[in-house]
DNA sequence: CCTTATTTTAGAAATAATTTTATATTATTT
DNA sequence: AAATAATATAAAATTATTTCTAAAATAAGG
């Protein structure tokens, strides 16, 4: 299925999107699976993965590939930046104004066609700030 | 083993570092394994992973977590940005001057302690520019 | 050197995350 | 309602990476 296709509105998709929209925590596929299971106990993890992928391709949600092993999902489809805690892995939004000009600048340094940029911060979240064991 | 420990200089490490330094292509662990195998046919993939990890912790090389499933490695330990081809996955350096001020700016929008930032561009590499099938 | 302690290795097995496949179910069109 | 298409489930397969163990290499002290 390619970008722009209209997806059928199934119960699974409704609930997935609804749960994802409720939180600001950028859950992983597995976390979402646990959340959705409370409302749809028979849903499978494969369905969660497949639909998150489809909804991301459709531009309804964002798939984040910020550091760490697992991908995370963001119900806010509008471009914005993120910050990740090096200790606990928590990912927050960071509503810094978008640096549109970096793409223009960057074009002077490469032969690539630049389509987008992603700016990602890392550090320690408030909860991890005292006990900042290294990582 | 923690940051700053001196690593023994084994043949495997010498060759790994040497091969990684030779290229500007940011190879994956498996690609490096193939490269190193030509000189050390009995090296194991586990050794490659373990040593890349150790060298990255030691600050001798960088581990890149740019999009895609696999991690990539960069023999250039100095901070710099990257651009990734959406089609073929190729990752190039992008020697745009570092945007030091974004971290200062970002501090006004978050309670996190910000330690670093990473700016990553994506688009199409020269080779993929005509045939830009979606992704 | 020679002995002992420590680190590192290869190879195999285990794990984690994700993707794919085969089959069943549900929705849409005719 | 029958045929067609899309989607779901459950299980198996795949991919990337990590862990484990015994053997080999290296370092350090006498």
């Amino acid at each position: 299925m390619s970008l722009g296709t209209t997806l059928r509105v199934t119960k699974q998709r409704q609930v997935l999107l609804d749960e994802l929209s409720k939180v600001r925590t950028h859950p992983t596929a597995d976390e979402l699976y646990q959340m959705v299971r409370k409302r749809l106990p028979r849903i499978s993890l494969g369905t969660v993965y497949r639909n998150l992928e489809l909804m991301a391709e459709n531009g309804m949600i964002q798939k984040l590939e910020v550091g760490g092993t697992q991908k995370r999902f963001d119900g806010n489809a509008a471009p914005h930046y993120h910050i990740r805690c090096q200790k606990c892995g928590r990912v927050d939004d960071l509503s810094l104004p978008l640096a549109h000009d970096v793409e223009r600048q960057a074009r002077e340094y490469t032969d690539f066609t630049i389509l987008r940029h992603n700016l990602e911060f890392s550090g320690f979240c408030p909860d991890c700030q005292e006990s900042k064991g290294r990582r």
Side-chain angles (χ1 to χ4, degrees), chain A:
Chain A
M1 183 157 317
S2 62
L3 205 141
T5 308
T6 319
L7 296 177
R8 246 183 224 176
V9 184
T10 63
K11 181 60 65 69
Q12 289 83 343
R13 283 178 190 150
Q14 280 173 31
V15 174
L16 254 176
L17 194 55
D18 181 50
E19 289 296 320
L20 184 54
S21 304
K22 274 205 285 211
V23 297
R24 299 280 72 175
T25 55
H26 311 89
T28 62
D30 195 71
E31 284 166 352
L32 239 352
Y33 173 55
Q34 301 305 336
M35 290 155 69
V36 169
R37 251 150 73 106
K38 293 180 182 148
R39 290 167 62 184
L40 302 175
R42 296 189 48 75
I43 198 171
S44 78
L45 184 55
T47 300
V48 172
Y49 270 107
R50 183 168 28 75
N51 284 315
L52 287 172
E53 193 62 44
L54 288 172
M55 294 192 294
E57 274 182 27
N58 244 252
M60 303 163 69
I61 65 173
Q62 280 193 73
K63 176 160 73 165
L64 307 182
E65 308 201 19
V66 300
T69 41
Q70 288 154 289
K71 277 154 199 149
R72 291 175 171 274
F73 296 86
D74 189 333
N76 177 5
H80 59 282
Y81 302 136
H82 296 99
I83 181 160
R84 174 170 202 278
C85 179
Q86 288 185 1
K87 189 152 184 235
C88 68
R90 166 179 158 191
V91 175
D92 273 24
D93 287 332
L94 205 157
S95 39
L96 188 69
L98 294 179
H100 292 297
D101 52 307
V102 292
E103 292 189 20
R104 182 179 43 69
Q105 280 183 258
R107 287 194 181 89
E108 295 174 28
Y109 293 88
T110 182
D111 289 333
F112 277 56
T113 307
I114 296 181
L115 294 179
R116 52 179 54 104
H117 75 277
N118 182 40
L119 179 53
E120 182 193 315
F121 297 86
S122 63
F124 291 110
C125 73
D127 293 346
C128 292
Q129 269 167 35
E130 307 86 51
S131 51
K132 51 182 82 159
R134 72 180 57 74
R135 215 222 145 209

